[in-house]
Amino acid sequence: MSPIKRADLTGLPPALVVTAGHDPMRDEGELYGARLRDAGVPATVSRYEGAGHGFVQHFSWIPEYHRVFEETAAFLGRR
């Protein structure tokens, strides 16, 4: 399933879109966030500049990437 392929994104729930600066899918993720905002969906796009694909599960021990867990917890806490 790929929600970015939907023609109409209105009515989707608020989203936190996390991207990695060195991920080949980065642009697609950021486009999805922009399309959500254009559809009136509250969306936050957060890029981790030096990270690569899979950084959340493979590099959580690197201090500058630990912020993604804090950011996700804060996002979920507001919901």
Side-chain angles (χ1 to χ4, degrees):
M1 180 173 126
S2 183
I4 194 172
K5 293 181 179 182
R6 286 180 60 169
D8 182 8
L9 300 178
T10 58
L12 291 178
L16 171 63
V17 179
V18 175
T19 64
H22 298 291
D23 187 337
M25 298 177 70
R26 179 198 68 209
D27 294 343
E28 182 179 8
E30 293 176 1
L31 174 62
Y32 178 57
R35 286 197 54 220
L36 286 169
R37 287 192 298 260
D38 290 346
V41 176
T44 300
V45 177
S46 183
R47 180 191 295 183
Y48 286 76
E49 200 58 55
H53 186 82
F55 82 99
V56 173
Q57 66 188 30
H58 298 296
F59 299 104
S60 62
W61 52 271
I62 299 175
E64 57 267 28
Y65 299 156
H66 190 266
R67 184 174 55 87
V68 72
F69 299 103
E70 296 164 352
E71 184 177 17
T72 302
F75 174 80
L76 293 172
R78 293 189 298 272
R79 304 298 171 246

